[in-house]
Amino acid sequence: MSFDFDPEESDLFRIEDALFADTFTRENRYRFSGQELKITQTFSSNLGVAAPVWEAAVSLCQYFEEKKFDFTGKRVLELGAGTGIVGILVALLGGDVTITDLPTALKQIQLNVSSNMPAGCRNFPRVRALAWGKDHHDFPSDYDLVLGADIVYLQDTYPALLRTLDHLCGEGTTVYLSSKMRREHGAVVFYEEQLPRYLEAELVHRNDCENISIFRGTKKTHAPFREAKER
């Protein structure tokens, strides 16, 4: 894996919209699992923190690369996708992917999908709006995997996120969440106390240098989607 820009030069996560008063774009290239991605990030007050590729998303892509994931035939939904980098990689690795975020982020995601998916690709990702706790019932409950990178950051949104996860996850669903573990945002409480009420969750990867953890969760009655090295 390689990339040429670190969007987390500081430990700030939720940046005030005023910092994006002037709109500009940045294009960066990443390589995971033999796939080269060209990701455009549009920094503006409209997109705010949905604009950058955050380190937790890079870490989740690295994790999939390290574990040699094969998503062929898997139905996958990404929550709070921002740039769409995770969902795009999963689609390139064979997944049947739906990439979601709030409506303001969809144009950026669609641009990146169009820039990275081969013409005539049979598993071209779908890009859809999904507001947690509001329109999650417009989506099915039988995905193989539900993914999220740095979506655990604002405590007021946790109940809606949990309701959404509860709806999206059937008995055959596995969730992967990658998070910067900022105590001031309640991330530790979310993973230690709140998420376990809904899912059987376990820590599967820890990056102490970046303070990033990746958790895998399943409905408590179902064995998790097995990674390549575990088969």
Side-chain angles (χ1 to χ4, degrees), residues 136 141 161-170 198-199 219:
H136 53 283
S141 301
L161 173 57
L162 290 168
R163 288 196 303 273
T164 300
L165 286 171
D166 188 48
H167 169 76
L168 295 172
C169 296
Y198 294 82
L199 301 176
K219 291 283 189 178

Side-chain angles (χ1 to χ4, degrees), residues 108-143:
Q108 173 173 263
I109 296 171
Q110 190 62 65
L111 171 63
N112 285 322
V113 167
S114 299
S115 298
N116 287 279
M117 298 305 298
C121 179
R122 295 181 62 183
N123 57 328
F124 207 85
R126 292 166 293 278
V127 178
R128 294 183 58 186
L130 196 169
W132 305 341
K134 294 183 179 179
D135 52 12
H136 53 283
H137 290 291
D138 294 338
F139 294 78
S141 301
D142 59 353
Y143 291 99

Side-chain angles (χ1 to χ4, degrees), residues 60-105:
L60 189 55
C61 291
Q62 289 175 318
Y63 179 77
F64 292 154
E65 178 180 48
E66 176 188 344
K67 299 297 184 180
K68 297 181 172 58
F69 271 55
D70 180 2
F71 295 97
T72 302
K74 301 296 182 183
R75 298 181 67 242
V76 184
L77 182 137
E78 182 183 6
L79 293 168
T83 62
I85 185 171
V86 174
I88 291 168
L89 174 65
V90 171
L92 289 169
L93 296 177
D96 178 8
V97 180
T98 301
I99 303 176
T100 70
D101 207 325
L102 294 175
T104 52

